[in-house]
Structure formats: C-alpha cells, structure tokens
Amino acid sequence: MREKIEIIGERLNGSLPSLGRAIAERDGNYIRQTALRQAEKGADYLDVCVSAGEGEAEILRWMIGEVQSVTDLPLCLDSPDGKVLLQAVAFCKRPGIFNSVSLGREEELEEIFFFLKKHPGWKAIAMLGGQGGIPKTAGERLEILEEIRKRRERLDLEEERIYVDPLVEAAAFANPGEVLETMAEIRRRYPETPVVAAVSNISHGLPMRSYVNQSFVPLALAAGAGCLILDPTDSGVRGVLSASESLLFPDGKPSCMSYVKDYRRNFF
C-alpha cells in the first residue's frame, strides 16, 4: 500500500498556445478558469510557468495573484531561473514547490537549498540533468542524483522535501526505458525519495497524445513515480491514473473502491 499519488496540474504554462495568449493579453479570467478546472479535477499543486524571459518575475506575480484569487491549492513555481523562483515566494500565500533546480545551475541550487533549510514548508524538484543537457542513460542520471544527495545531506534537508525528476523525454526521440529504469533504481535505493514524472513529455511529436500519456501513467507508477505532472482535466489520463492506483496499490477495500469513488465523483 502506498500513499496517494500527488498530482501537479500542468495547464498554467505559457508554452501552451492558449495560455500564452492569455498571458500576452492579461486575460485574468482565462487564468482563473484554468486554475479552477484543475483544482476541481483533483490537482494537489498547480504549476505556474510564464515561459518568457523578459519581465518573467512580474508576469509570474500577476499569474500567482489570479490563481490564488480562486483556489487555495499550493503552487509549483516553474522557471529555469532560480532567482525568479526566489522572488516569486513573496507572492505566495502558502508554501509550495520550486520547479526546478539542477547541477547545471549549481549556485542557484545551493541558494534554493539554503532557502529550504530556513523555510521548512517549501520543497524543490531536482532535475537529473547537468550542463551537458539530459543524460542518455539511467547510469548517468543516477550519478547526478548522488551529487544532488550530497548537497542535500550537507544541509541536513529532509529527504522527502527534494523531489527527483529523472527527465522524461519524448518517446519519438528517446528510449523511455532509460527513464523508467532510473525511476525503478531510485525507488530501490532510496524508497523515501519522491520521484516526479512529467507525463506529457513522453508524447511530444506523436499523434493522439492523450493515448500515449495514458499508456505511460501506469508504467511510471509501477517504476516508482509518486508524483505526476499532468493535465488533470484530461478524463482519459485521470481515469487511467485512478484505475492504476487501485490495481497497483490496493487500499484494503474490496472491488477497487477508490476507483469506483473517483468515478462517482465524475473525475472522468
């Protein structure tokens, strides 16, 4: 038996054309409705990503304000710039997750880890990539994990506060087996380390992306992922997730009751 899989809603991302337009036009209603739909469909966190360089911190402040006006869900602050992430903390009503840190920007990783030490409610996602980009093999990813663990241990940060992102790549261009092997090995070595998987990355470049995402969900869960970044408004993905949880991690109740309850709550 395992605790409930955490869901980070991915739809508040400026790289999505509809969201990018809403940001450009400062369409607060669209931002609010997107946040509400994800909250209603079971998201535990809402990823907030501007996906723009110039003025990123100010736009992020505006987005956070719109989101927090309609939901109390904690936020997953998403930017490649650690300084922007630290600025955005001031706009948040409650602790959330930094998305993300990596060895490729080691100074910012250290700054955020120091912040976590002083602010116990916050967490961070650490990507298993470096200055050379995404490693090609599970072994290379795991080497990066060991280096990140050393930095976490030096500060005596709790293991469960550093989520590990093994970097899901598009199946059209890379072998999914490497990232699944990485997840499984992390789970074997460090069962208390949270593993997060960005589900929608797997389907980039492929037709009928939802089918590919749905197929990847049970594979990621079986390999060891305990947190998924996905679109909770996709009924197919949500249904497969609920069914997979019931089959992989029985809660002791007969007839997959957790799945039945999700169905009755109109999750799908």
Side-chain angles (χ1 to χ4, degrees), residues 7-159:
I7 301 301
I8 299 175
E10 69 180 11
R11 297 299 300 176
L12 289 166
N13 191 310
S15 67
L16 301 172
S18 58
L19 215 293
R21 286 192 296 272
I23 291 173
E25 297 167 6
R26 295 299 188 273
D27 185 350
N29 183 61
Y30 189 89
I31 300 295
R32 294 190 296 272
Q33 291 304 312
T34 301
L36 270 177
R37 283 196 297 271
Q38 294 184 100
E40 291 168 353
K41 292 300 181 180
D44 299 295
Y45 295 86
L46 296 178
D47 190 82
V48 182
C49 178
V50 172
S51 193
E54 188 174 352
E56 182 181 6
E58 181 57 29
I59 300 171
L60 195 56
R61 181 200 62 77
W62 169 74
M63 285 183 67
I64 289 171
E66 295 295 336
V67 172
Q68 291 184 148
S69 72
V70 294
T71 177
D72 292 328
L73 283 181
L75 303 181
C76 181
L77 304 176
D78 191 344
S79 173
D81 189 336
K83 297 189 182 306
V84 168
L85 294 178
L86 289 168
Q87 289 179 54
V89 168
F91 315 138
C92 296
K93 293 181 178 178
R94 58 184 299 188
I97 303 176
F98 291 110
N99 186 13
S100 55
V101 297
S102 73
L103 288 181
R105 300 174 73 108
E106 186 158 2
E107 183 177 338
E108 292 177 2
L109 180 150
E110 297 281 357
E111 285 185 53
I112 288 176
F113 277 15
F114 274 116
F115 178 90
L116 295 182
K117 184 66 177 176
K118 296 178 181 179
H119 300 82
W122 283 88
K123 306 173 184 177
I125 295 174
M127 298 192 302
L128 300 188
Q131 294 180 342
I134 299 177
K136 296 188 180 300
T137 68
E140 292 172 314
R141 286 175 165 94
L142 292 165
E143 288 177 5
I144 293 172
L145 172 61
E146 296 302 329
E147 291 300 318
I148 291 172
R149 285 182 62 84
K150 289 177 184 177
R151 287 153 179 78
R152 178 191 65 76
E153 289 167 356
R154 278 204 297 265
L155 288 173
D156 195 29
L157 286 172
E158 299 89 338
E159 190 164 3

